[in-house]
Amino acid sequence: MTPNLQNADLIIKSQTKQLSSTLKDILIVDDTIENLRLLSSILSKQGYNVRKATGGKMALKVVETLPPDLIMLDIMMADMSGYEVCQALKENPRTVDIPVIFLSALDDVFDKVKAFEMGGVDYISKPFQMEEVLVRVKNQLAFRTAQKEVYQLNTKLEQRVEERTQQLQKANERLQEMALYDSLTGLANRNLLVEQLKQSLALSKLNESYQFAVLFLDCDRFKIINDSLGHLVGNLLLQNIGKALQTILGKNDILARLGGDEFAILLADISDENQAKQLAKNILDLLKNPFNCNEQEIFINISIGIVFGHSNYDTPETIIRDADMAMYKAKSLGRGQYQIFTPKMYEIAQKLLILQTDLNRAIQQEEFTVYYQPIIDLKQNKIAGFEALIRWLHPQKGMISPTEFIPVAEETGLICEIGRWVMKEACYQLSQWHQQGFTDLKVYINLAAQQLNQRNLVAEIDGILMETQLHTSSIKLEITESSMMQDLQTTKALLGELRERGIKLSIDDFGTGYSSLSQLQTFSVNTLKIDRSFLKNVDSNSKNLGLVPVILSIAEVMTMDVVAEGIETSEQLEQLRKLGCHFGQGFLFAKPLDAEAATQLIHENPQW
Ligand code: C2E
Ligand code: MG
Ligand code: MG
């Protein structure tokens, strides 16, 4: 080995170590056996795996079966020229990337330009200078390795980008879904409904004969289910309702959950209004069957408001609002039914809204006052007590009747606060009268249905009685038949607690509701107040007594007191006395009076 070669040997050895851990595979193509041997021995010593081919055709075959990392290609060969071989390699996708170094003899007519054009990466002239051979081989292999790495990195990068794009796409789809669908039921949500309504509105503006309708559905007393059976059952019920509704809808109808226990249906193309009404009826029919939720059979009613879309509407929101309003009307008419929106409803709703706002203010500004109407002991001919009747002194509208604002206060829940205030005020007034010596007087206080469900009602009453130092027998609570029947379990428990304390109970407006007599007995009702409608036709003619004698005898059998409400004439009074009615109340004796006038009345001690 010449010193030159030894040098090269050293350089290359140290560098190949760093180059790559895998064995590099080099194919030498030359039809001069001597050249083949020389080159292969040099390269093998450097740790390369060397293969040999003695002609162009053979080379192409070898390459095809196992592509090497590098090809050293002689130009002048008997069967094919190196250029041709190279060209064939570059045309084959399997071999196109393999670097080719041309080997050329000095006396060859070597066309460098052509060599590069054919895809060669380098050339080495014969006779070989070993250092040069090794450096060029090493460089090309290093370059090739780097190229491969870059390629691999690139593919990895592309893969990552692809993956991330897919993830983003999925997240995006999910976001879109969330924005348009309700997560609990999988139904459309308000956003999607609004979008669809926009389309329907646009269509109705283009085509006069196009009709659509929206049904607004709200579950009746859903809160009770949630409160008593838990949210999970409540959610299950909502899901089941959604599924059941789907089964009776056409494929073009859109069912949406608006939130809470509210659903809406868009009938996007109807030929006449009866279609919407029929659907409402079908829904009400559907709900005659119970839903099975967690092994529990649950019956639920739905109130439905229907609005017919037309080109007068400008926004989806107003359509939904009107459907909602019609639903509200259905609810107020006794739930479990449907109503069709009319503009009148809107007017009323506006007024109600104003009333609600005013009511809130009235509580804060203490615009209420309590009036007292005497209840007369018809046997002893003296005042037995007073019914406390609230009045609202509205700063602009003057005195507003409780029949107008109590229902609104009940709807908004303000009634509990108002009721508490009335009770406090009335008890305070009664304690004043007791202090003035009229210790037999009682006060009758009206309780709204909602107050019966108020958990702390009894505690509140206890507190007020303590504060005013009144005996429990001094107050009588009036509840109407219908509110007593609303939630029998709760009422029963409450009335039990009141009875324990010796607080007496009156049934107000008796005869207008549907309570059964046996229930009145189990509730230990003390007093029946005969509704004034029963006295309307009562006059001096005993044929016109109507049901009054019947009610009186029922009360007698059940050992209850009776107060006849609405006595306006002396004939009515006389008949009632004849029938043995114990107590009476009405304009004949006195209208509801303010505290001062009522106090004056007691002191006057009038006789009737
Ligand atoms: P109610 O409890 O049945 O009260 C009797 C109503 O009949 C009173 O009307 C009274 O003014 C009226 N009235 C009494 N005698 C006669 C009569 O001879 N002829 C006629 N035509 N009417 C008579 P008011 O004060 O307008 O109260 C109406 C209703 O409002 C009450 O009916 C009661 O249900 C409710 N209410 C009044 N105050 C309160 C209250 O503090 N709380 C609650 N929850 N409801 C109240
Ligand atoms: Mg009353
Ligand atoms: Mg009454």
Side-chain angles (χ1 to χ4, degrees):
M1 210 182 273
T2 62
N4 244 352
L5 270 180
Q6 273 180 343
N7 247 349
D9 216 38
L10 281 174
I11 299 166
I12 300 297
K13 252 186 193 164
S14 69
Q15 287 183 352
T16 33
K17 257 189 207 160
Q18 303 161 0
L19 188 75
S20 166
S21 54
T22 52
L23 197 61
K24 295 292 175 189
D25 186 23
I26 301 174
L27 175 68
I28 309 169
V29 189
D30 200 328
D31 56 355
T32 315
I33 303 296
E34 216 177 297
N35 282 345
L36 270 184
R37 266 202 213 123
L38 180 62
L39 272 178
S40 96
S41 96
I42 297 168
L43 292 170
S44 301
K45 264 193 221 156
Q46 296 301 321
Y48 295 113
N49 183 40
V50 181
R51 287 186 281 153
K52 290 165 268 185
T54 49
K57 283 183 182 146
M58 183 181 171
L60 288 177
K61 234 178 245 164
V62 168
V63 165
E64 182 66 29
T65 40
L66 184 69
D69 294 304
L70 176 73
I71 297 171
M72 305 187 73
L73 183 57
D74 187 23
I75 293 181
M76 300 295 286
M77 288 185 295
D79 62 342
M80 282 171 91
S81 82
Y83 301 128
E84 285 172 299
V85 176
C86 189
Q87 190 172 19
L89 288 170
K90 296 299 154 189
E91 278 166 7
N92 184 345
R94 257 170 77 81
T95 54
V96 61
D97 287 332
I98 304 170
V100 175
I101 298 178
F102 282 109
L103 308 171
S104 72
L106 260 187
D107 49 353
D108 284 347
V109 195
F110 176 54
D111 186 343
K112 291 175 198 167
V113 176
K114 191 171 178 185
F116 285 116
E117 268 174 4
M118 285 298 133
V121 291
D122 204 354
Y123 64 93
I124 304 172
S125 313
K126 299 176 197 175
F128 305 123
Q129 269 223 308
M130 286 311 141
E131 292 106 319
E132 186 192 345
V133 169
L134 290 174
V135 169
R136 288 188 191 271
V137 163
K138 189 211 79 178
N139 281 349
Q140 284 311 322
L141 283 172
F143 184 67
R144 171 88 181 122
T145 307
Q147 219 177 14
K148 270 188 185 163
E149 271 167 16
V150 168
Y151 175 78
Q152 269 171 4
L153 277 178
N154 258 337
T155 2
K156 263 192 204 151
L157 202 65
E158 266 166 32
Q159 249 172 13
R160 284 285 303 275
V161 170
E162 176 71 10
E163 270 169 28
R164 294 286 296 158
T165 316
Q166 270 179 11
Q167 280 170 1
L168 274 175
Q169 213 166 1
K170 272 191 201 141
N172 213 18
E173 276 167 18
R174 179 93 191 93
L175 269 178
Q176 280 217 325
E177 254 172 43
M178 279 183 351
L180 294 177
Y181 292 92
D182 169 49
S183 56
L184 178 67
T185 57
L187 299 174
N189 66 12
R190 184 183 284 265
N191 297 346
L192 184 50
L193 180 76
V194 164
E195 285 312 307
Q196 300 289 334
L197 272 174
K198 275 185 195 157
Q199 291 182 20
S200 288
L201 271 177
L203 274 177
S204 75
K205 302 238 186 246
L206 289 174
N207 177 359
E208 270 294 298
S209 63
Y210 170 75
Q211 283 190 72
F212 64 98
V214 173
L215 279 73
F216 194 110
L217 282 59
D218 186 290
C219 301
D220 296 332
R221 305 209 174 89
F222 187 79
K223 193 180 170 319
I224 295 179
I225 291 171
N226 248 353
D227 288 351
S228 57
L229 303 177
H231 279 80
L232 285 181
V233 175
N235 284 350
L236 210 54
L237 179 61
L238 289 172
Q239 287 168 338
N240 286 344
I241 291 174
K243 278 182 207 149
L245 288 173
Q246 286 285 27
T247 62
I248 56 168
L249 292 180
K251 64 177 187 319
N252 293 328
D253 307 337
I254 289 161
L255 171 62
R257 177 171 171 244
L258 302 182
D261 58 352
E262 292 173 350
F263 295 85
I265 296 166
L266 167 62
L267 299 180
D269 193 4
I270 52 172
S271 48
D272 76 311
E273 301 195 340
N274 280 328
Q275 253 172 284
K277 292 185 205 166
Q278 190 54 52
L279 176 61
K281 284 180 196 153
N282 292 348
I283 293 172
L284 296 176
D285 269 350
L286 180 79
L287 299 172
K288 286 186 179 139
N289 303 314
F291 288 96
N292 196 323
C293 303
N294 260 0
E295 315 275 296
Q296 309 229 33
E297 295 224 311
I298 303 175
F299 283 94
I300 185 106
N301 264 327
I302 284 185
S303 298
I304 305 172
I306 303 178
V307 65
F308 292 106
H310 49 71
S311 51
N312 283 353
Y313 279 111
D314 282 324
T315 63
E317 284 77 15
T318 40
I319 299 177
I320 297 175
R321 180 201 68 195
D322 287 354
D324 186 8
M325 216 171 279
M327 181 282 294
Y328 218 69
K329 175 84 181 169
K331 215 160 251 230
S332 71
L333 287 178
R335 302 162 201 261
Q337 53 171 295
Y338 73 88
Q339 283 291 312
I340 293 163
F341 174 78
T342 62
K344 181 102 191 137
M345 286 181 191
Y346 180 68
E347 256 172 58
I348 294 172
Q350 282 300 95
K351 276 193 190 145
L352 268 182
L353 194 69
I354 295 171
L355 197 61
Q356 276 175 18
T357 331
D358 280 7
L359 255 184
N360 269 308
R361 190 208 51 224
I363 291 178
Q364 276 148 31
Q365 316 262 317
E366 300 182 14
E367 290 169 13
F368 297 113
T369 180
V370 178
Y371 272 39
Y372 299 90
Q373 188 179 30
I375 289 171
I376 313 300
D377 183 329
L378 301 180
K379 288 182 178 161
Q380 297 186 42
N381 209 0
K382 64 167 198 182
I383 299 173
F386 287 89
E387 176 170 8
L389 294 161
I390 192 169
R391 296 290 177 265
W392 178 7
L393 292 170
H394 192 285
Q396 283 93 40
K397 297 176 189 159
M399 184 105 80
I400 300 182
S401 157
T403 49
E404 229 177 284
F405 70 84
I406 293 280
V408 182
E410 290 202 59
E411 260 169 36
T412 50
L414 289 172
I415 189 65
C416 292
E417 203 173 336
I418 293 176
R420 188 184 315 135
W421 181 84
V422 170
M423 185 166 317
K424 234 182 173 161
E425 191 71 13
C427 287
Y428 174 77
Q429 185 56 58
L430 184 67
S431 75
Q432 299 256 300
W433 289 331
H434 281 193
Q435 279 168 32
Q436 291 166 20
F438 305 99
T439 49
D440 288 343
L441 287 182
K442 318 266 185 235
V443 70
Y444 291 67
I445 296 164
N446 292 287
L447 279 191
Q450 248 182 65
Q451 287 178 276
L452 303 181
N453 293 321
Q454 198 187 313
R455 278 173 213 279
N456 58 349
L457 181 72
V458 175
E460 256 177 40
I461 296 176
D462 284 346
I464 292 173
L465 289 179
M466 275 255 279
E467 229 175 89
T468 51
Q469 300 203 316
L470 285 177
H471 191 262
T472 48
S473 65
S474 300
I475 61 170
K476 294 197 179 204
L477 300 181
E478 293 192 5
I479 61 176
T480 62
E481 274 189 286
S482 45
S483 57
M484 184 174 78
M485 292 301 140
Q486 250 177 42
D487 182 357
L488 283 176
Q489 288 306 61
T490 319
T491 312
K492 202 168 179 178
L494 172 74
L495 299 189
E497 280 191 74
L498 294 176
R499 191 170 52 238
E500 273 172 29
R501 286 165 168 71
I503 296 173
K504 301 246 163 52
L505 193 71
S506 266
I507 297 300
D508 208 351
D509 307 342
F510 181 74
T512 59
Y514 301 97
S515 56
S516 78
L517 294 174
S518 65
Q519 261 152 358
L520 293 185
Q521 195 134 48
T522 46
F523 284 163
S524 324
V525 169
N526 311 94
T527 308
L528 295 184
K529 292 189 84 174
I530 305 180
D531 190 70
R532 70 163 178 271
S533 57
F534 291 96
L535 289 197
K536 241 192 202 144
N537 298 326
V538 174
D539 53 23
S540 55
N541 187 343
S542 57
K543 281 185 187 153
N544 296 335
L545 292 172
L547 286 175
V548 176
V550 179
I551 299 176
L552 284 169
S553 52
I554 291 173
E556 197 180 344
V557 171
M558 295 174 78
T559 61
M560 293 179 191
D561 282 337
V562 174
V563 179
E565 288 189 280
I567 305 177
E568 292 183 356
T569 67
S570 47
E571 288 79 15
Q572 288 170 336
L573 175 59
E574 199 166 322
Q575 294 289 12
L576 287 164
R577 277 205 166 115
K578 269 193 213 160
L579 290 168
C581 179
H582 198 155
F583 300 95
Q585 175 183 3
F587 291 171
L588 176 68
F589 309 109
K591 288 200 167 178
L593 307 165
D594 63 22
E596 202 185 325
T599 309
Q600 205 182 330
L601 190 74
I602 316 168
H603 284 274
E604 282 168 6
N605 190 23
Q607 302 287 304
W608 291 280

